Amino acid sequence: MTTDEASASLIVPARALRDIVGYACMAPSVHNTQPWSWHASGNRLELSADPWRRLPLADARGRNLVISCGAALHHAQIAAAALGWEPIVNRLPEGDDSTLLASIELTSTEPSPDSGEELQAIRDRCTDRRRFTSWPVPEERLRHLAATAEESGAHVMLLQDPSDRVRTELLVGRALDLQSTDEPLAAEQRRWVDHSVRDGVPGVVIPANAPNEVHLRTRFGSGHLAEPDRDLEGSDGLLVMRGAADDKLAWLRTGEGLSALWLRATREGLSVVPLSQVIEVDETRERLRAEVLQGMGTPHLLVRVGWQAISRSALPRTPRRPQDDVLTL
Ligand SMILES: Cc1cc2nc3c(=O)[nH]c(=O)nc-3n(C[C@H](O)[C@H](O)[C@H](O)COP(=O)(O)O)c2cc1C
């Protein structure tokens, strides 16, 4: 055995496995449900979906659940590489029906060259729903973000055409209205605001008195976060993440792409807010597919990208489940 082979076959220390999973769990998830569990043994990490954490009404098929797990899977790959472990991922190793979504084999390697920045981006990333400034995001940057997501196996369409953008905003508003008048669904959503000290969306990260304009309303209503007083222009970037299929593997890849795009945006000082309601509602998802994507793929997630004010206050971190709850070793 050569020295290289010997070091590659090292058993991954428990400390490193814990660190990788710790970073993975900083990933975004729908309503901060963190619908995942991890199992580590030897050189392998396994990621499973936690079906008990699926939103039964807003996410009956588990699309958002799997996208969230895909984001955690990508976070794990970035953290592993940054900490000196090359990840080899096997997606859906037991097929579509199993809750096991991926296994990751780790072999020892040199830490990735920009490991410090990669890990910092994971720590810095957050969902900041305060209104964006009117500084436009150059098309080239948006294309670059889309390309970053595509390198991670996702498919992304940039909405540049003004009529596509208006149509999409109207569909977002329609989905919001339909969901807010569906009492059981609205109640499910309310339950995840200030849900617990370990999960859910804290009221302190939800902007207060969300104004009436369609594209400034958040699904969580009005929270406690002060909003800057500023005129708004429709200059945000809008991206549709989509897939050739509407199935588990395609959702997992979308989640990985979402994480790649978001970490890159974070490093560039851009803010990202996913908007899933327009996809959750059958009517608006179908209209987005037919009228905006023109039948080219099926939409998985809408993403808004923009610049936050430089003078903004720091956003409190959303909570995470304790590691003993999500990891078995
Ligand atoms: C699949 C998915 C769907 C999401 N949908 C929305 C949404 O419709 N509206 C919204 O404000 N945030 C949405 N989010 C953001 C989550 O609420 C957020 O990631 C979570 O509360 C954790 O907070 P953090 O991103 O600041 O860590 C979504 C995130 C994911 C991964």
Side-chain angles (χ1 to χ4, degrees):
M1 197 187 271
T2 65
T3 320
D4 276 358
E5 280 166 351
S7 71
S9 67
L10 279 178
I11 294 287
V12 187
R15 178 75 255 161
L17 294 166
R18 286 188 182 281
D19 286 347
I20 295 168
V21 171
Y23 279 108
C25 293
M26 291 182 196
S29 61
V30 64
H31 292 14
N32 199 21
T33 48
Q34 306 161 56
W36 44 63
S37 65
W38 293 87
H39 178 68
S41 68
N43 287 2
R44 176 183 299 195
L45 270 175
E46 288 178 341
L47 166 65
S48 297
D50 181 344
W52 293 102
R53 293 186 158 264
R54 182 176 58 82
L55 302 168
L57 301 178
D59 192 26
R61 289 190 60 202
R63 184 188 294 105
N64 283 332
L65 178 148
V66 175
I67 294 175
S68 304
C69 290
L73 175 61
H74 180 265
H75 269 49
Q77 294 169 71
I78 293 296
L83 296 172
W85 300 96
E86 188 194 344
I88 311 235
V89 180
N90 187 3
R91 295 173 186 80
L92 304 185
E94 293 178 353
D96 249 20
D97 293 336
S98 167
T99 52
L100 180 64
L101 295 177
S103 65
I104 311 177
E105 292 293 336
L106 300 163
T107 49
S108 174
T109 183
E110 285 299 310
S112 49
D114 52 355
S115 51
E117 288 91 333
E118 298 271 27
L119 295 179
Q120 192 59 44
I122 291 182
R123 289 191 290 265
D124 288 345
R125 186 215 57 80
C126 63
T127 310
D128 191 341
R129 301 175 183 83
R130 286 172 290 191
R131 67 185 75 174
F132 295 152
T133 65
S134 56
W135 303 321
V137 186
E139 182 181 334
E140 202 185 307
R141 277 192 190 255
L142 294 170
R143 295 214 175 279
H144 184 57
L145 289 183
T148 304
E150 300 217 340
E151 278 162 25
S152 288
H155 299 286
V156 182
M157 179 172 165
L158 176 57
L159 298 188
Q160 289 288 93
D161 180 68
S163 59
D164 281 346
R165 292 172 58 90
V166 169
R167 212 168 272 146
T168 303
E169 296 289 5
L170 289 173
L171 291 174
V172 169
R174 167 103 181 125
L176 221 147
D177 288 342
L178 285 172
Q179 286 197 332
S180 56
T181 50
D182 178 336
E183 189 36 45
L185 193 137
E188 175 183 272
Q189 189 163 281
R190 278 196 302 273
R191 272 198 297 280
W192 283 93
V193 174
D194 288 323
H195 186 254
S196 82
V197 292
R198 47 179 62 190
D199 59 12
V201 183
V204 287
V205 302
I206 302 171
N209 304 318
N212 237 1
E213 292 96 324
V214 160
H215 68 306
L216 291 180
R217 286 149 71 197
T218 83
R219 65 184 307 163
F220 300 110
S222 185
H224 313 302
L225 181 64
E227 270 279 23
D229 187 16
R230 189 182 304 108
D231 288 343
L232 185 122
E233 293 165 25
S235 52
D236 341 336
L238 275 180
L239 305 163
V240 184
M241 306 200 69
R242 58 181 172 173
D246 209 18
D247 62 17
K248 246 186 192 174
L249 183 59
W251 299 334
L252 202 59
R253 301 310 309 237
T254 288
E256 292 180 72
L258 172 69
S259 162
L261 176 160
W262 206 333
L263 294 178
R264 166 56 50 193
T266 302
R267 287 176 66 171
E268 295 181 4
L270 277 162
S271 190
V272 170
V273 178
L275 301 172
S276 47
Q277 287 175 288
V278 67
I279 314 292
E280 290 160 20
V281 175
D282 290 343
E283 175 199 314
T284 51
R285 183 180 66 255
E286 175 49 28
R287 286 184 58 193
L288 189 67
R289 188 192 69 75
E291 296 170 19
V292 178
L293 297 187
Q294 315 247 320
M296 284 184 299
T298 162
H300 291 167
L301 191 67
L302 181 66
V303 176
R304 203 188 280 294
V305 180
W307 304 105
Q308 288 287 350
I310 293 167
S311 58
R312 69 189 179 278
S313 55
L315 206 61
R317 297 286 105 174
T318 51
R320 290 297 183 271
R321 297 163 64 200
Q323 195 162 71
D324 288 349
D325 215 33
V326 288
L327 172 64
T328 50
L329 273 167

